[in-house]
């Protein structure tokens, strides 16, 4: 059952259209990533779900109840802000306790209950020993976890996170990601997070929703959006890709002397030009002596830890072709700068140019 | 002396409330007429206090716009305490708001949104989040406002009528005594004023020294 239903939501800021006719349903227990470049409307959508912003048209409902009749408090939504928005004049303890202290006097827990609950939450985020510190005395990762504990204090059904790892360094980011995924599963939350980092979205989410220009371009599991992008935009946004001019005819695209079947993008009968999209790791070197495939010359080799990236020059192409291969494979092939090779694509999709 | 304190005691809280409300509105919300409001707040800085005093006379004086109505209802504003208070409020109008607006704009609305998302209502958000964030800048603004309220001469001079013991604030009293060649008394009163100014300066320095960071947004 859908916890959150977003129906035909549009939002305008002056002359800028942030969202146009967005439809989306979020299921119980899902971890959804809203992925897109800046200005794509992803944060606006998140803020509308939270009730921090209101849709000009359309409506959002929580478990069938229209959110417009349901103020922010009753939605039971936890929101984690991009810059954490911790209360600077309050200790970590008081920050986490805030949501409990402002409850109407009838529902407010007693001081001992608040203390117990806050201590539990701080244990959960591994900050039990920092309760007395102030936000300015914490590192970025610690602040992020305080912000999470604070949002979890009101026992939200839905957790919304705005660029949760944006301001953290790579190492902390990786740890926090895994930790957040565990937390989501253990607490049985429904979570939505906004990111412009495709790696983060692919690693963390059950479902990735790709947005651009205020519209949802594609929504699917990480594998779906990565392997079968719906548009060239999604292709380029979800990682590096080579664009190779090709000929489209019927349901086939031909380039580099190979012909590829277009599965769900049939293009009329007549011949026309298009672009084939091939991921760097989907390009391979054909046996050196063969004459099949596309001739190319190795221009540059960069070692990127476990993988090796090779830039290749192909005659007639203005941009070099990028290829990624494992270290073992690279050593077997014994590639050097200026060596001549033949390439083929083992997976590709083509779109009309 | 008493009048000076009364005028300050009324004008400062008035401008505290007004300044807070105005800067809250200007910094945290978008609305039509925002620029007009900002200009209005700055008006007392650009208009000479004497002119302000004259406008009060024009409005509330016996021959003024509202004069007949006021005298019918037996209300005296000009040449009485209300006039002095009004004049003081006008000249000290910008101090609190000018101090708070840049700071509140810099702080943005994220903290308030966070409070709201955690279930706080408007008052709780204001008293638990907004006010603590601006407390030192607010105190600083109030201090400046108070200093100006006690020292104001021009506008008050016009509306007071210099009735000794009745509508005479300390700066006005200094002038009268001086014009009467009563130098000893004039300097004595001036010293009291100077002493008040000194106390204000000391408190101001302490604030700047201890909470410079929170006030400095307004300075930058």
């Amino acid at each position: 059952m859908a916890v959150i239903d977003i129906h035909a939501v549009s939002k305008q800021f002056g002359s800028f259209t942030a969202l146009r006719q967005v439809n989306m349903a979020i299921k119980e227990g899902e971890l959804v990533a809203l992925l897109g470049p800046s200005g794509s409307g992803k944060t606006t959508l998140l803020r509308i779900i939270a009730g921090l912003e209101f849709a000009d048209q359309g409506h959002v409902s929580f478990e069938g109840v229209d959110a417009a009749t349901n103020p922010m408090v009753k939605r039971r939504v936890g929101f984690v802000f991009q810059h954490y928005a911790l209360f600077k004049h309050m200790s970590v303890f008081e920050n986490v306790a805030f949501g409990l202290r402002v409850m109407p006097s009838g529902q407010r827990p007693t001081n001992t209950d608040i203390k117990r609950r806050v201590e539990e939450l701080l244990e959960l985020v591994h900050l039990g020993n920092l309760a007395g510190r102030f936000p300015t005395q914490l590192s970025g990762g610690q602040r992020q976890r305080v912000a999470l504990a604070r949002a979890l204090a009101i026992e939200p059904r839905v957790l919304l996170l705005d660029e949760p790892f944006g301001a953290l360094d790579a190492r902390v980011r990786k740890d926090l990601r895994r930790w957040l995924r565990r937390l989501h599963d253990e607490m049985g939350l429904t979570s939505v997070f906004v990111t412009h980092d495709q790696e983060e979205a692919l690693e963390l989410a059950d479902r990735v929703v790709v947005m651009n220009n205020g519209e949802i371009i594609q929504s699917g599991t990480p594998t779906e959006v990565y392997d079968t992008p719906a548009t060239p935009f999604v292709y380029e946004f979800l990682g590096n890709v080579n664009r190779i001019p090709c000929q489209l005819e019927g349901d086939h695209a031909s380039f580099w002397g190979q012909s590829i079947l277009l599965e769900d993008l049939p293009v009329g009968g007549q011949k026309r030009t298009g672009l084939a999209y091939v991921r760097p790791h989907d390009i391979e070197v054909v046996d050196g002596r063969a004459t099949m495939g596309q001739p190319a010359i190795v221009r540059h080799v960069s070692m990127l830890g476990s993988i090796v990236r090779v830039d290749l020059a192909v005659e007639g192409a203005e941009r070099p072709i990028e290829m990624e291969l494992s270290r073992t494979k690279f050593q077997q092939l014994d590639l050097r700068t200026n060596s001549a090779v033949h390439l083929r694509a083992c997976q590709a999709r083509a779109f009309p140019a | 002396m008493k009048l000076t304190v009364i005028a300050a005691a009324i004008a400062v809280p008035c401008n505290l409330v007004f300044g807070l409300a105005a800067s809250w509105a200007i910094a945290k919300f978008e609305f039509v007429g925002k620029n007009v409001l900002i200009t209005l707040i700055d008006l007392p800085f650009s208009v000479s206090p004497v002119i302000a005093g004259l406008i009060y006379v024009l409005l509330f004086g016996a021959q003024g716009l509202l004069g007949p109505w006021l005298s019918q209802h037996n209300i005296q504003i000009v040449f009485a305490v209300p006039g002095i208070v009004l004049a003081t409020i006008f000249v000290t109008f910008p101090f609190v708001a000018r101090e708070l607006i840049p700071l509140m704009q810099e702080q943005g609305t994220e903290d308030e949104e966070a409070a709201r998302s955690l279930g706080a209502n408007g008052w709780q958000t204001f008293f638990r989040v907004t006010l603590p964030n601006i407390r030192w800048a607010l105190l600083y603004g109030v201090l400046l406002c108070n200093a100006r309220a006690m020292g104001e001469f021009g506008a008050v001079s016009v509306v007071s009528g210099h009735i000794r013991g009745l509508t005479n604030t300390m700066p006005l009293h200094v002038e009268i005594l001086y014009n009467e060649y009563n130098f000893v008394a004039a300097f004595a009163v001036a010293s009291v004023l100077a002493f008040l100014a000194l106390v204000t300066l000391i408190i101001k320095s302490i604030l700047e020294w201890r909470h410079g960071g929170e006030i400095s947004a307004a300075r930058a």
Side-chain angles (χ1 to χ4, degrees):
Chain A
M1 182 192 149
V3 179
I4 305 170
D5 226 325
I6 295 158
H7 183 71
V9 162
S10 297
K11 177 78 187 176
Q12 192 98 20
F13 292 111
S15 61
F16 176 74
T17 308
L19 292 172
R20 40 188 128 216
Q21 299 285 318
V22 169
N23 290 293
M24 191 172 132
I26 295 162
K27 289 195 287 290
E28 175 103 53
E30 241 186 336
L31 178 49
V32 176
L34 297 177
L35 176 67
S38 54
S40 59
K42 54 194 194 306
T43 297
T44 308
L45 184 58
L46 193 77
R47 290 172 59 88
I48 287 175
I49 297 173
L52 289 169
E53 209 88 67
F54 297 94
D56 296 337
Q57 280 156 42
H59 58 261
V60 177
S61 50
F62 281 74
E63 282 167 352
V65 183
D66 192 339
T69 60
N70 210 355
M72 204 163 168
V73 191
K74 290 206 186 129
R75 296 187 191 190
R76 296 211 5 237
V77 165
F79 199 97
V80 178
F81 290 81
Q82 187 177 1
H83 304 291
Y84 322 131
L86 295 179
F87 306 130
K88 288 186 284 296
H89 59 283
M90 293 183 200
S91 64
V92 166
F93 183 95
E94 284 305 320
N95 262 287
V96 177
F98 187 88
L100 303 170
R101 292 212 197 278
V102 296
M103 283 180 176
S105 50
Q107 303 162 22
R108 193 187 309 146
T110 60
N111 270 333
T112 29
D113 281 345
I114 291 180
K115 190 167 185 310
R116 194 176 41 77
R117 178 108 187 88
V118 171
E119 278 165 1
E120 274 172 22
L121 282 162
L122 287 176
E123 276 316 312
L124 184 75
V125 298
H126 311 298
L127 288 173
N129 51 340
L130 299 180
R133 294 259 192 110
F134 282 84
T136 45
Q137 300 167 319
L138 301 177
S139 71
Q142 289 169 334
R143 285 182 208 183
Q144 176 65 283
R145 282 180 284 154
V146 175
L148 252 165
R150 186 178 67 175
L152 292 173
I154 56 169
E155 292 175 30
R157 290 181 304 193
V158 179
L159 187 63
L160 305 174
L161 306 107
D162 186 7
E163 302 255 0
F165 314 109
L168 303 171
D169 58 68
R171 171 114 205 96
V172 181
R173 198 187 291 204
K174 249 195 171 112
D175 290 346
L176 263 180
R177 246 189 246 167
R178 301 215 171 112
W179 175 80
L180 181 69
R181 177 74 236 195
R182 265 209 318 279
L183 192 80
H184 168 91
D185 294 336
E186 280 166 16
M187 298 192 71
L189 291 164
T190 303
S191 314
V192 182
F193 73 100
V194 156
T195 181
H196 60 256
D197 181 346
Q198 32 92 13
E199 200 187 309
E200 197 167 286
L202 295 174
E203 181 185 332
L204 197 55
D206 296 322
R207 187 150 64 96
V208 178
V209 175
V210 185
M211 296 186 67
N212 192 28
N213 286 329
E215 287 171 316
I216 293 179
I217 309 291
Q218 192 176 8
S219 163
T221 63
T223 326
E224 278 166 13
V225 290
Y226 189 79
D227 290 342
T228 51
T231 68
F233 169 80
V234 180
Y235 234 123
E236 293 189 35
F237 200 72
L238 287 172
N240 290 337
V241 70
N242 293 300
R243 292 190 298 181
I244 303 156
C246 65
Q247 288 295 322
L248 299 174
E249 193 177 11
D251 55 359
H252 277 74
S254 45
F255 65 98
W256 286 5
Q258 30 179 152
S259 184
I260 286 174
L261 182 70
L262 301 174
E263 278 159 24
D264 46 351
L265 289 164
V267 266
Q270 83 278 39
K271 220 172 170 160
R272 51 181 174 150
T273 56
L275 278 175
Y277 286 76
V278 190
R279 298 260 185 232
H281 52 76
D282 287 333
I283 290 182
E284 54 182 27
V285 171
V286 212
D287 192 333
R289 287 171 300 271
T291 48
M292 284 167 53
Q294 171 70 32
I297 297 187
V298 177
R299 283 286 175 238
H300 186 74
V301 176
S302 4
M303 302 284 178
L304 306 170
S306 58
I307 57 159
V308 179
R309 195 175 72 205
V310 182
D311 287 349
L312 301 130
V314 169
E315 203 180 317
E318 66 231 59
R319 283 204 290 178
I321 297 291
E322 258 180 48
M323 173 173 75
E324 276 172 15
L325 59 173
S326 72
R327 238 179 149 115
T328 345
K329 184 89 188 158
F330 175 75
Q331 274 151 7
Q332 277 169 18
L333 286 168
D334 190 30
L335 293 178
R336 281 155 216 271
T337 311
N338 290 328
S339 50
V341 289
H342 285 82
L343 303 175
R344 66 179 291 270
C346 38
Q347 203 181 16
R349 276 160 79 80
F351 299 94
Chain B
M1 177 74 186
K2 200 175 126 207
L3 193 62
T4 305
V5 176
I6 289 174
I10 299 175
V12 172
C14 276
N15 278 335
L16 168 76
V17 172
F18 167 79
L20 250 180
S23 24
W24 161 274
I26 287 170
K28 314 267 171 178
F29 301 95
E30 288 301 322
F31 54 91
V32 184
K34 190 162 155 172
N35 284 327
V36 177
L37 186 58
I38 296 175
T39 313
L40 275 180
I41 289 172
D42 279 341
L43 197 65
F45 274 157
S46 51
V47 170
S48 160
V50 180
I51 298 172
L54 283 173
I55 291 171
Y56 274 118
V57 174
L58 218 65
L59 273 178
F60 303 117
Q63 270 78 48
L65 223 53
L66 302 173
W69 186 85
L70 287 171
S71 58
Q72 259 175 36
H73 292 78
N74 234 346
I75 304 169
Q76 187 160 17
I77 290 183
V78 175
F79 308 135
V81 180
I84 295 172
V85 171
L86 279 175
T88 310
I89 288 179
F90 179 80
V91 293
T92 56
F93 213 52
F95 286 95
V96 174
R98 271 284 139 202
E99 192 66 35
L100 293 182
I101 291 169
L103 181 71
M104 287 172 100
Q105 274 174 339
E106 190 196 71
Q107 285 176 346
T109 51
E110 243 192 15
D111 279 15
E112 279 77 13
E113 285 177 345
R116 216 147 55 89
S117 79
L118 293 167
N121 62 33
W123 289 113
Q124 286 170 325
T125 305
F126 180 75
F127 284 109
R128 287 169 185 251
V129 176
T130 309
L131 203 56
N133 270 341
I134 57 166
R135 58 195 159 174
W136 299 115
L138 182 64
L139 197 57
Y140 190 86
V142 165
L143 208 66
L144 291 180
C145 182
N146 184 54
R148 182 68 195 264
M150 289 191 166
E152 175 52 24
F153 181 84
V156 173
S157 167
V158 176
V159 293
S160 92
H162 300 270
I163 306 166
R164 194 180 293 213
L166 272 180
T167 62
N168 232 352
T169 64
M170 281 173 76
L172 299 185
H173 200 57
V174 174
E175 194 210 13
I176 295 176
L177 291 171
Y178 184 77
N179 288 344
E180 287 170 349
Y181 302 103
N182 192 350
F183 293 131
V184 178
F187 279 105
V189 178
S191 310
V192 176
L193 259 181
F195 175 73
L196 285 177
L198 218 62
V199 171
T200 309
L201 259 178
I202 291 168
I203 303 176
K204 174 174 163 279
S205 306
I206 292 174
L207 272 181
E208 278 174 350
W209 173 58
R210 304 225 8 201
H211 305 284
E214 286 165 68
I215 303 169
S216 65
R219 300 270 84 83

